[in-house]
Structure formats: structure tokens, C-alpha cells
Amino acid sequence: MIRKVCVVITARPSYSRIKTALKAISDNPELELQLVIAASALLDRYGTAVNYIEDDGFRIAARVYMVLEGENPTSMAKTTGIGLLELATVFDNLKPDVVVTIADRYETLATAIAASYMNIPVAHIQGGEVTGSIDEKVRHAVTKLADLHLVSTRCAARRVEKMGEDKHKIFITGCPSIDLAAEVLPNPKLDFNPFEKYGGVGDLERLLNGYLVVMQHPVTTEYRLAREQVMQTLEAIHDIGMPTLWFWSNVDAGADGTSNGIRSFRESVKPTNMHFFKNMNPTDFLRLLYNSKCLIGNSSVGIRECSYLGVPVVNIGTRQSGRERGRNVIDVDYEIEQIRSATEFQIRHGRYDSNKVYGDGKAGERISQLLAQAPLEIEKRLAY
Amino acid sequence: MIRKVCVVITARPSYSRIKTALKAISDNPELELQLVIAASALLDRYGTAVNYIEDDGFRIAARVYMVLEGENPTSMAKTTGIGLLELATVFDNLKPDVVVTIADRYETLATAIAASYMNIPVAHIQGGEVTGSIDEKVRHAVTKLADLHLVSTRCAARRVEKMGEDKHKIFITGCPSIDLAAEVLPNPKLDFNPFEKYGGVGDLERLLNGYLVVMQHPVTTEYRLAREQVMQTLEAIHDIGMPTLWFWSNVDAGADGTSNGIRSFRESVKPTNMHFFKNMNPTDFLRLLYNSKCLIGNSSVGIRECSYLGVPVVNIGTRQSGRERGRNVIDVDYEIEQIRSATEFQIRHGRYDSNKVYGDGKAGERISQLLAQAPLEIEKRLAY
Amino acid sequence: MIRKVCVVITARPSYSRIKTALKAISDNPELELQLVIAASALLDRYGTAVNYIEDDGFRIAARVYMVLEGENPTSMAKTTGIGLLELATVFDNLKPDVVVTIADRYETLATAIAASYMNIPVAHIQGGEVTGSIDEKVRHAVTKLADLHLVSTRCAARRVEKMGEDKHKIFITGCPSIDLAAEVLPNPKLDFNPFEKYGGVGDLERLLNGYLVVMQHPVTTEYRLAREQVMQTLEAIHDIGMPTLWFWSNVDAGADGTSNGIRSFRESVKPTNMHFFKNMNPTDFLRLLYNSKCLIGNSSVGIRECSYLGVPVVNIGTRQSGRERGRNVIDVDYEIEQIRSATEFQIRHGRYDSNKVYGDGKAGERISQLLAQAPLEIEKRLAY
Amino acid sequence: MIRKVCVVITARPSYSRIKTALKAISDNPELELQLVIAASALLDRYGTAVNYIEDDGFRIAARVYMVLEGENPTSMAKTTGIGLLELATVFDNLKPDVVVTIADRYETLATAIAASYMNIPVAHIQGGEVTGSIDEKVRHAVTKLADLHLVSTRCAARRVEKMGEDKHKIFITGCPSIDLAAEVLPNPKLDFNPFEKYGGVGDLERLLNGYLVVMQHPVTTEYRLAREQVMQTLEAIHDIGMPTLWFWSNVDAGADGTSNGIRSFRESVKPTNMHFFKNMNPTDFLRLLYNSKCLIGNSSVGIRECSYLGVPVVNIGTRQSGRERGRNVIDVDYEIEQIRSATEFQIRHGRYDSNKVYGDGKAGERISQLLAQAPLEIEKRLAY
């Protein structure tokens, strides 16, 4: 019997972290993919990831608008509630055999709860990692709801088991985001003009002598500081002066603070070395990253994809703290001077060796196999 | 500074498990109690617990209707979503310093998520226990969201710590439900006529030669079996023939199955030894229990209060499996013959010694103290 | 181009009032039917109308659980909100060309609002009638949102026009409920045993010497009186003593009052002439009605179907006040004596002539034609 | 007995249209004001009207975040649903004697429905007016739900009556927005520097030789055209070259289109005569308007306040079509040339005579009196 696999994608980064698995699920004759697109993945302000998903040829089974405006803690909680309410209806109509939920966002939690209460087995991707922020709580809460743990690293597997999960339900697949990096690695040339393809003023020539990439998200448990935090980075990048491709942050509480900081800096300082982007096709983004001198910010891309690609990273603040990392990462505080000098060090250092801690490029295929063959059970019990 | 403590009560049993703590919080000059009554605690079908709460003198800060009809897995998931959406608004308006959530129901989870995303510390009561059913998943998920663990037993404390929680945030308080039992124990006489006070036909005389109590809930992960399961108990109790006080089940998926089973049994068999009740003031209920020959069903009351009171218990099925229990409990399957013979054994055996595993009667006071004095922090990290 | 017609059915009576139109839409090659089943039409407590719909061969495009428990004014308002939230997602995924909403319930309003804001033309069935209760407000509010008015009577058409609607958008189709009655009329024999087919104890013989039918709903603006009101009818029917088939009320505020009244009357008085039913296939119901001596209660069935079938009706209270009616209806207050004597009068009087005020039996076909051919526009303006 | 009056404010413009009534209600010893702030009135992106409300000294009884992101028709429908769901809880906890709802937005409808189903009388302000867009449908639907009609003009009163409302429930109060204009009129000097007080670069000197004001909202039934429509105005204003104060649009579907249009125009053309503002204290805004050469756009401010203040207006498109207007308004299409020449005409023409069609400056007081004294009833019936 063909298993119906429902995957819920709710944000731009989640798509990169599941894309190769979606492909492998679609190609697996034992599986039927039911793709649900929800939350910020539908929104123009966050780059309308749904367009990339459709361009990649995936058919969408349901769309759910669920992001409540406010970008504060209250609206995040309420967004989770709306998602839960609506995803239950979606699952009730699609009747999947297993639901896949990704990482540690609020929609991840909504997905896991809806499926759990509906007696649908939950497969969780990227459990067992350790970070700061509310994500830490949510990730482990999802682990306690999940029936199948498809983790990225050995450490993650060990942690999930220590939390009392049955070790026969824990599988180290690697992270599908690394699969995309692995596809790019053999031929990593920057084969497109980001300005032409994704808007903005500038020409490719400018980038030939080296450029930086910035991705900095607000930290939800420190959301009132978002503006101040981004200001440190803006100043540092401005000082360094190298051309910089800056990606707008995601939809978390504090995003308004981050955006306001950037807008007001642009208006008052009028920096000439910064170019702003909303979103990019994941492969294009990885090429861009590969050819950059350094990634600056607090995105997990620095920890995951960049360690595989050997791209130098300056990781700021607590958002990724606790995550396993390669030698390519330097950790600094939200502080101009630290950011600037670490970035300059990385520019001088250049590329690092590739590190396979987050996967070897075959995660998507492994996930598809497991979803087709692993026993799907919903009863579980703390192992101790 | 006075701490505002918001307690969310969503069901009849939750009230018994927090009542003495509410009293102690109200009496503590360092604390202000904000009481939110929601879900089935507001509904006539489930005994309108809110009336007992108001009769006990507690002021209600907000009421939230949130139970979606259906009593199936979809409606449970959606109820959680509605609760989450609305409790966030309630918290946004009340601005508590700490939110208290009880046990392992879906509203417990909604409460914990809303508070977590809103950066309000969460105190969880009754974490670390092990049972069957969806409750098992939810209880541990709430542990991963909670910042303060106020557990009932030594085993529970050890499990919470093993799940990776900071041991300085785990406190063994005992269960407040035992506090009520401790109040009843010195003078446990049945000092009221349940038929007069709570409706139904019958007179106190009938009970003098011994009676049974039944509380049987549907098991959400087996919700299609609810009707069949309750039928076994109905037949067994009918066979035994002793007067029996039967309490209607709670609002979980399957409640319709349980109710239908009971209704159709009553219509076809017209049993004369069964009297049905919706709800009772907790103290009255404990007196009734104390004086009974045996509690039959799958309620945690059998595991907790009855072990303290020394009441014999026949525990049916998987719902309480994994929970620590005293010698007063015999476990059986959903099967007439097993239920009947275990009950007859318990009737012959009579009262057991009191067991203090779930508390010594001072939990409410301890919880109030801890809420007043424990550090309230929201950042946490897996301990390994 | 084929027009996608989305019909939202949310309650047992709505199905009877649209069934023949659904059939005609399905059969029309210019139309594609998208059937959404929601609210009490999914619930066991209200007779699970969805089962009849599926048995009749209709494919269901989406199901939406949306009834919040409480059966009080707050829960009705919240149910409307949940319905609106979820129906918007359903419409967003189904992308209908026109949405059909029926009559005057809260889900009718939720349907109309969702479609209006989504720029989907709304066709309203049964606008322009006048009654008491909140239904009156809702019905006319839906008229102001609707783009196409498919009304039952000449008076209704005139009223819709007077409210400022464009007369070219108003069509008198008759009520599809009459279509079912028209199918039954040529051969109205009671060809089934209601006790066998729909449960309950009793045999067909009992009904041969005449029987009554009762349908009494709570009135939402008087919802605290529901228990008292139903008591009057119970007493009257008990006095009359003729076998009576009594249908449980719908899901409005006060339904608990009505149900409690009936339950307590049954327990205390143990009436032997009353048989209770939840729901019935519409055709079976009409046969039952045709062969009865009198319909008692406040259902619009008394005003509509019974006037076509010539069945005597005792209409109680304000719920139908203002509706056009045939000579078959006697209006009385919620008062035993009035109910009893009017019913006895009707039993003596016997069958009335058929009255065509609510339609001639071809409404379904007309509605289907209009949905296929009427211009679908969403801009409108008050005519004065 | 003191009547509890609950007023729900959900957007910046609604506050201006109720502020003097709020004051009069607060001052009336027979009334208690319960102020609920919701929707875009809480959001930074739309100018956080809640701050102005608190600065004016009003105490807020409840806040409700309810705007779903998307700014498309689906998200508007869902926002209405969320609002309805949550406002019901708010009313259930506040227990008002009457609820006041303003104008014709989706939150207006949510407020009216929640109150109607909860049997709370609804007073509707600004019913009976005629415009284009979805607002037209919503306004009249609210009229059909409302129990008390507090209208602005004689024509509006006549239309409400023609729709079948009881003429004893219709009162011409004038519009409270005119009250604010009336306060400004005796001493209309521009007594503050908008750049200093509300941000942005520029100095007061610039404005001394004349300036324009623009307020252009997307039209929900034409929401895909929003970008194109605003472009016409941008070009026209750029051509004219006079200093211009431009106010960002509200939260309707299409707002993203409008914003994108403005952002891209600013980036590519870098206009030097335009200054952008989010929000302003209503009195400051009226002074600014009074001293301007012309208001351009499609805001109802042009029709209402400007006609009283005698400010020339160029009204673009269909959004206000059907509304009564003074001689100060010239209507044009979304077309550069028409906008430019009409604006130039108005600049040459200068100030018009004050017109009192929308009120005489005493609306707030009249509304307060009526809320204190009008009979509050919830039963109504179409008058024909």
C-alpha cells in the first residue's frame, strides 16, 4: 500500500532543508507526497517561497495563511494557534499516513500537535540539536511528540535517545540542506547575476574582487534588542566597505526591530556597499555563499551549509550557541569591533576544508526510504 | 514586588489537582492569583466545574470557551489551537509573571505554548509521570517547554532530570490532590446524601452495606474502541449487583462512544444498581471514595488519591500504565471476567494502608512558596 | 468555461433545502459542484447529516469541524468566527466561481462573509423572508452581502428589492425543499418502519391509527427559556396521548435547555406515547409528515413543506412569526392549553389543500440554470 | 443603572471618527466606557493608533491582535473570523450593555456579529452611506445587524429607513470626525513642525509656500491594480513638484501593492518633493489638512473633514463614489493627466466655503446622550 506523506513547509529556510527529500519522496513509488504550504512561505514580505516550490515542479495540496501580524511574542503564540486549528482541518481532509515536520519553528510545533492528537505518526527532521532561544524549547517539545526521529548528526541522535526516545525510532540521515550544497560543490561557479535575477541595483563586476553575505535574524527571547543588535552589524559592515549581499530576516518576533534598524541606517548613512535581497532560489544562494569571502550573522546556514562548503563564518550572539560546528566558524558578540575584526580575519584566512558533520549529501534519499519502510506507530513511552 | 501567578483550569479533575495550591497562592501576600477558567470546566455536559470554583470563593479573571464539538481526534487538535489563540490574548491582557499549567491535557499544552512564546515563565505541575495514550506525549512535551517543574514524586523528579532539565528547576512538592485527601482522612465519614445533593434517584440507606465507584474515560489513541470498552465494565458491574456510583467521563475523543455505550446499556438492560453522576465537589467525592468498597475504571484518582486513602482499586487497560502505584491497585484488561473477579477480590480484601508516594498533604503550600521565591527565568538549554 | 459552484452545507435542515439543487448542479455539464460539509452536519449529536449526503452519492470536497461547545450565545458567535477563518482557507484552495449559501444560520453568514471578502460572488437561497429571532438579522445581513438572490416566494423577492438590491439579480425559484415534497406527493405511502430504520422501540402498527410529529427548536434570543418552553409542549403531547414521533432540536443556543427539559420529563413522567429521533433521510421524513395527523413545534417545515403537503400544523411561539403561511397553520403561544386544544382541532380537521406559495417542485432545476447562466459580478450599490 | 458601553476601535481612521464620542461617554455619569483596541490599531506598520489613544487618557479594557498577514482577500476574510472568535470572548468577559461599531470595515462586521449573536444591542455609527468596494456590502450588512443607527447625514438616515429599519431607531448625529474639525476651525494655524514631531527629513519653511497632502488606499475589489493605481498619483505629484506630505495606506488587501509601488518609485525616481508619514495625532492632521493647498487620493477624509474645513480635494477612482460630497471635491480617474490638471485647478481655486453635510461639531455629545437614553432592544423585524 502506498503511504501518503504529508510535508508541511512554512518558511523559506525550511524549504531548503527538505527540498531533496521532497524530490526523493515524489520519486518513490511506495510514497505519495501531500505538500502543504503555509505561514511565511506564502508571504511576499518573506520572499514568497511558494513560488520557488511551484517552479521546482511540486504540486501543492493545500495553502494555509496563518501568520498573525504583530511580530511580537503574542502574535507568535497566536500564529501557532491558528496554524494548529487549520492544519487539523487540512489533515482531516488529506488523511495522511505520516506527517513530516521540520526543525523548531512555531509552525513545526503546530504541525506536530495537530498530527499527534489526530493519531497520525509524526516524523521530525532536525531534532536533537542544541541552540539558544525559544527554538530550543520547541525543538525538544516536538521530539517528545514525534514518533520517528530523522536527525542530522550523531550528537543529535545521542541527545534524542537520552531524552527517553526509543533508539529504534532514531535515524541519522544527515540534513537535506547539505544535499543541495553537495550538488553545488562539484561546479560552484557563480553562474548568474544576483542583481539582474533578484532585483536591486549593482553589477556582477562589483563582486569579482570579493564580497560578503549577511543573514541576521532577531532572537525571540531578546526581541526588544533586535534593532540595537542589527545596528552593530550594519556599522561593522559599513566600516569594512567590501560589497555585501544582505538578506532580510525571517518572520519572528523582533523582525520589525531588525527591519527598522536597517531602514533607518540606510536612510541616515546611505551605505554604498550593501545590497538587500528578500529571497533566492536555494541553489543560487549556495553558489553565492560558496564564492563569498565570509558569511556574517546568526543564521544556521553558517553552521550547516557553510561548514560543508568550507565558507568562513562570523557567527554573532547566542542564536546558534550549542550547535555543533566546524572550524570555519568564529563566534562573536553583538559588538561592532568584534564583528569587524573577526570578519577581517576570515577574509584573510579564506576557504576552509569541507566538514561532513551535518551530512554527506544523501539525506533526502535516506529520509524517503525511511518514510517508506520504517514502522509507523503512535504509541510510545518514556524509555526510563 | 508582588508576582502575578496565572493559573489556567480547563477541566474538572484539574481543579482537584490544584485547589489547595490556589488557596495557598491567594493567601500568600507576595502573590496575586489570576484565575482563568476554560474549556470543559465551563460546560454543563462536563459538570460545570466553574460553579464549584466560584462557590469556593475564587474570583475569575477570564473565561474562555474553546471546546470544539466532535469528540474525535480532529476536534481535539482544533480545540488546542483555539485555546492557544485565545489564551495568548488573555495573557497579553493579564500580563502574568508566571503561568501555571497542570498535568497533560491538550489545554495544558496550549497554555504552555502560549506562555513560552510570550516569554512568560511556565510552571508545570505533575510532570515526569509515565502513562499510556497521547497524554504521555503531551506531558513530556510540556516538560520541555516548562521553566519550573513542580512534580509529585521522587521518580517523576528523576525522569524530568534525565530528560535534560536543570535539576535546580525541579522540585518535589507532592500532588495537591493528596492535600484534599489529607483533609478528609481525619474525619472521613460520608456526611451527605449524594442522591439528594447531586440528583438522581436513590437513598442513603442503599449505600450502607457497601457500594462501588466507577470512573472510566475513553483512551484517545484507542478512541474507536470506547464503546466496546465501557460495555465490559457495565456488564461486570451489572453482574456484581452491588450499588454503584458511576461518574460520566471527560471530554476526550471517544467520549461519545463511552456515553453511547452507557445510554444503550441503560435502555436495553435497565440496570437497577447503577446511579450516574456528572460531577461532585472534590471533598464530597473523596468522602464517597473513602467509604466505597472499590474504585473501578481507569482514572488517575485510583492511582493517586486512592493510594493515599487506602481505597481498593481495579484499574482497567493502558491509560494509567507506567504510573507509580501503591499496593491497593489491581490491573486488569477491558474484559468482563477480569474486571468482575478483581473487583470481588478487592471487596473481600477491604481497605489498604495509606501510601504517601504522591504526597503528604502539603503540596499546595509548597507550590505557593516556590512560585513566590523560585527564580523565574525563560532561557534554558538541554543539560547534555 | 465550466463554472465551479461551491455549496456549503452546515446542518441537517439545510441539506433538505438544497438537495434537489445539488442534483441539478451535478447533472449540469456547465457546472462543477464543490460540496463543503461543515458544522453540525458532521456531528453525531445532530444526526450526522453527512452520512445521508454521501449515501445520496455526492462527493465531498472538504469537511470543516467548527461547532464550539457551549450552546450559548458566546459559543454561537465564536462558531461563526471559526467557520469564517476556516472557510476562507477552503475557498482559497478550491477557488470556486460562485459560492452558494443557504437561509439564515450563523454558518450561512460565515460563508457569505468569507466569499465576499475573497471577491467570490455569493448566491443566497431563501433571502427576503421574515421571521423572529437572530435569524431575522442574519438573513437580511446575508442579503446585503449576496450578489445573486434566489428566493422562494414573490413576497420575498419584493422585500429583497425594497432593501435596495438590483432587481435584475433577484430570481424567484421556489424553495428546493418543496421539490422533495413534490416527489413524495404522487405516492405518499409510509413505506418503511421508522422504528426499525431509525432505532427506538415501537412497531408500525402503533402508528396506523394516527400519530403526531414534533419538532421544537430553542429560540436564540430567548435561549434561557428553552427548557420551560419545551416543557409546555411535552405536557400537552403527554395529555393528548396519541403516538408521537419527536425530533431532537438543532445546535443553537438553548439546545441544552431543550434537551435537558426532554430528558428530565422522560425520567420523571416516563411518557409512553413519545418516540425520539435524531434525524431521518429527507424523503422518509416527508412521508412520515404526510401521513401524520399534525406537526407541532416551531420548525419552518411546518410553514414550508407542510403547506405544500397539506399537513395540519400547530406553530408555537415567535420563531416563524412573519413568514408567509398557508391555511394549514394555527399559531399558538408556549402554553400547554393552547397547544393541546389547537392540536386537537387540527386532528379533527384533517388534511388541508396543497398550497404552492413556497414553490412548485422545480426549484432545484431553476437554481442550477441560474448558477450556470446568470452574470457573476461582485460590485454592487444600494439602489437608492 | 449605569450602562456599560463597549467601543471597539480597530484602525487609525476609526479613532478619529469616534474620539469625541469616547470623551462624551467617559464624561457621562450614566455610562461606563469599555474600550477595546484591536487589529491594525495595535500595529507599528499602521502607526500604532493605540499610542495616541492612551496618550489621550483613555483606559484600555482589552487588546486583541487579529490581523492575519497576506493583505489579500483570503487574509481579510480570515482576519474577520479571528476577530469574531476573540471579540466574543472579550464581550463574554466584559458583559457590556451595548456595543458600538464604526463604519464599514471587516472588524466592524466582526464586532456586530459577535454582539448580535450574544444578544447584546449593537449601535452602528456611519450607516446608510453609499460608496464603492466591499465596504458598501459590509456597511449595509452591519445595518441589518444593528439595533441603533447613529448616522451622519439626512440622506443616510433616509437610506437606513428604506432598507427596512425602524425609524424610531435611527438618529442623525453627524459624524464625530467633524467634531474634531470644528475644534480646529477657530484657530487652524499649523502650530507644529510635522518633520520634527513625526520624523522624516525636511523643515517647516518648505511648507510655507504651499503643500499638498496625499492619502491613497488600495480598493479591495480591485486589489491587483493597487500598484498601478498608486503609480499614476506618484507621477502626477512628481510632475507638479509642490512639497507633498504623503500618508501610508491602511491594512486592506492590496496594501502591499500600494507600498511596493511607492517604494520602487522612491528608489528609481528619488522624488525630492515627497515626505512620507505613517500616522499623526488627529488634531495635528486636521491642521495640516486645513493649511494644505489640496488633498489628493481616495480617503473619505476628503469627503468628510475637508468639506467642513473647505479644503480642496481631488478624489481618485471609485472608492468614495456614491458618497454625498460638498463642492470642494473634483472626481477623477486613476490617470496621471487627470490627477495633475485637477490638482492644479484646485491649487488655483483655493479654499471653499465650509459645508455642514457631515455634521455641525456636536456628534460626540449626541451619541453619548443616545447611548445613555435610547431603549436598548435586540428584537427587530423588517419594516415591510
Side-chain angles (χ1 to χ4, degrees), chain A residues 8-19 38 40-41 46-50 52-53 102-105 107-108 125-126 175-178 180 215 217 248-252 278-280 282 285 299-301 304-305 319-320:
Chain A
V8 182
I9 295 178
T10 58
R12 184 181 55 180
S14 308
Y15 180 51
S16 305
R17 289 183 192 165
I18 196 67
K19 184 181 165 181
S40 71
Y46 302 97
T48 333
V50 66
Y52 296 101
I53 297 170
I102 305 156
D104 49 26
R105 291 179 56 78
E107 310 94 339
T108 306
I125 291 186
Q126 285 188 24
C175 178
S177 67
I178 303 301
L180 294 179
M215 288 191 88
H217 301 294
W248 290 102
S249 77
N250 62 19
V251 67
D252 289 325
K278 265 193 195 168
N279 200 358
M280 224 170 244
F285 178 63
S299 167
S300 67
V301 162
R304 305 170 95 83
E305 286 91 334
R319 194 162 179 269
Q320 302 301 331

Side-chain angles (χ1 to χ4, degrees), chain D residues 70-370:
Chain D
E71 285 162 350
N72 56 39
T74 305
S75 64
M76 287 174 78
K78 294 178 75 163
T79 293
T80 315
I82 297 167
L84 183 40
L85 180 59
E86 301 230 18
L87 288 172
T89 303
V90 168
F91 296 160
D92 188 42
N93 284 301
L94 294 180
K95 307 215 175 306
D97 295 303
V98 57
V99 163
V100 177
T101 194
I102 305 156
D104 49 27
R105 292 179 55 79
Y106 38 91
E107 310 94 339
T108 305
L109 186 53
T111 302
I113 297 170
S116 296
Y117 271 113
M118 296 175 75
N119 296 336
I120 306 168
V122 174
H124 183 210
I125 291 186
Q126 285 188 22
E129 303 187 22
V130 174
T131 63
S133 177
I134 179 74
D135 302 352
E136 171 77 5
K137 290 179 177 174
V138 168
R139 188 183 317 106
H140 304 321
V142 173
T143 290
K144 299 313 296 180
L145 296 168
D147 303 288
L148 215 53
H149 308 278
L150 310 176
V151 305
S152 295
T153 74
R154 214 172 293 254
C155 277
R158 194 178 45 80
R159 285 196 205 99
V160 169
E161 190 182 341
K162 287 190 83 170
M163 277 189 274
E165 297 298 302
D166 177 353
K167 67 182 167 190
H168 301 99
K169 302 297 183 67
I170 307 168
F171 302 91
I172 303 170
T173 61
C175 178
S177 66
I178 303 301
D179 299 4
L180 294 180
E183 287 172 16
V184 164
L185 204 54
N187 175 16
K189 206 170 147 300
L190 190 60
D191 58 358
F192 68 102
N193 180 338
F195 304 113
E196 261 174 32
K197 192 161 174 187
Y198 295 99
V201 183
D203 63 309
L204 197 52
E205 309 289 297
R206 286 210 63 180
L207 305 182
L208 295 188
N209 293 321
Y211 60 90
L212 305 172
V213 177
V214 178
M215 289 191 87
Q216 181 164 339
H217 301 294
V219 177
T220 58
T221 46
E222 309 165 352
Y223 83 107
R224 288 176 197 288
L225 306 173
R227 196 177 196 281
E228 227 173 286
Q229 292 174 345
V230 79
M231 278 300 179
Q232 302 293 319
T233 311
L234 285 159
E235 295 282 4
I237 295 298
H238 182 56
D239 284 4
I240 295 168
M242 185 177 275
T244 299
L245 307 179
W246 191 303
F247 287 80
W248 289 102
S249 76
N250 63 18
V251 67
D252 289 324
D256 265 3
T258 304
S259 304
N260 282 348
I262 295 175
R263 290 220 170 87
S264 95
F265 188 84
R266 288 175 79 181
E267 265 178 47
S268 58
V269 178
K270 301 196 195 307
T272 56
N273 66 325
M274 303 184 193
H275 305 273
F276 291 83
F277 294 88
K278 266 194 194 168
N279 201 358
M280 224 170 243
N281 165 321
T283 302
D284 286 351
F285 177 63
L286 289 166
R287 281 180 202 283
L288 206 68
L289 220 48
Y290 182 89
N291 292 285
S292 75
K293 291 294 180 201
C294 181
L295 173 74
I296 297 108
N298 57 11
S299 167
S300 67
V301 161
I303 308 297
R304 304 171 94 84
E305 286 90 335
C306 289
S307 96
Y308 185 89
L309 294 173
V311 176
V313 169
V314 173
N315 178 62
I316 313 174
T318 60
R319 195 162 180 270
Q320 301 302 331
S321 72
R323 270 212 166 113
E324 294 170 78
R325 60 200 62 205
R327 290 186 44 247
N328 66 316
V329 179
I330 300 179
D331 290 291
V332 301
D333 290 336
Y334 293 102
E335 203 276 306
I336 304 178
E337 209 35 59
Q338 289 188 35
I339 298 168
R340 192 162 61 97
S341 67
T343 305
E344 285 167 353
F345 175 90
Q346 293 285 42
I347 293 170
R348 284 192 304 271
H349 180 286
R351 182 171 307 285
Y352 288 80
D353 286 343
S354 175
N355 175 317
K356 307 265 183 305
V357 60
Y358 283 100
D360 60 0
K362 303 193 180 95
E365 191 48 49
R366 275 189 207 104
I367 288 170
S368 164
Q369 290 295 332
L370 285 162

Side-chain angles (χ1 to χ4, degrees), chain B residues 163-233:
Chain B
M163 277 188 274
E165 296 299 301
D166 177 352
K167 68 181 167 190
H168 300 100
K169 302 296 183 67
I170 306 169
F171 302 91
I172 304 170
T173 60
C175 177
S177 66
I178 304 301
D179 299 6
L180 293 180
E183 287 172 15
V184 164
L185 205 52
N187 175 16
K189 207 170 146 301
L190 190 60
D191 57 358
F192 68 102
N193 181 337
F195 304 113
E196 262 174 32
K197 193 161 174 186
Y198 295 100
V201 182
D203 63 310
L204 196 52
E205 308 288 296
R206 286 209 64 179
L207 306 182
L208 295 188
N209 294 319
Y211 60 89
L212 305 173
V213 177
V214 178
M215 289 191 87
Q216 181 164 338
H217 300 294
V219 178
T220 59
T221 47
E222 309 165 353
Y223 82 107
R224 288 177 197 288
L225 306 173
R227 195 177 197 281
E228 227 174 286
Q229 292 175 345
V230 80
M231 278 300 178
Q232 302 294 318
T233 310

Side-chain angles (χ1 to χ4, degrees), chain B residues 328-369:
Chain B
N328 66 317
V329 179
I330 300 179
D331 290 291
V332 301
D333 290 336
Y334 293 103
E335 202 276 307
I336 303 178
E337 208 37 57
Q338 288 187 35
I339 298 168
R340 191 162 62 98
S341 67
T343 304
E344 286 167 352
F345 175 89
Q346 293 286 41
I347 293 170
R348 284 191 304 269
H349 181 286
R351 181 172 307 287
Y352 288 78
D353 286 342
S354 175
N355 176 317
K356 308 264 181 307
V357 61
Y358 283 99
D360 60 359
K362 302 191 179 99
E365 191 49 49
R366 276 189 206 103
I367 287 170
S368 164
Q369 290 294 333

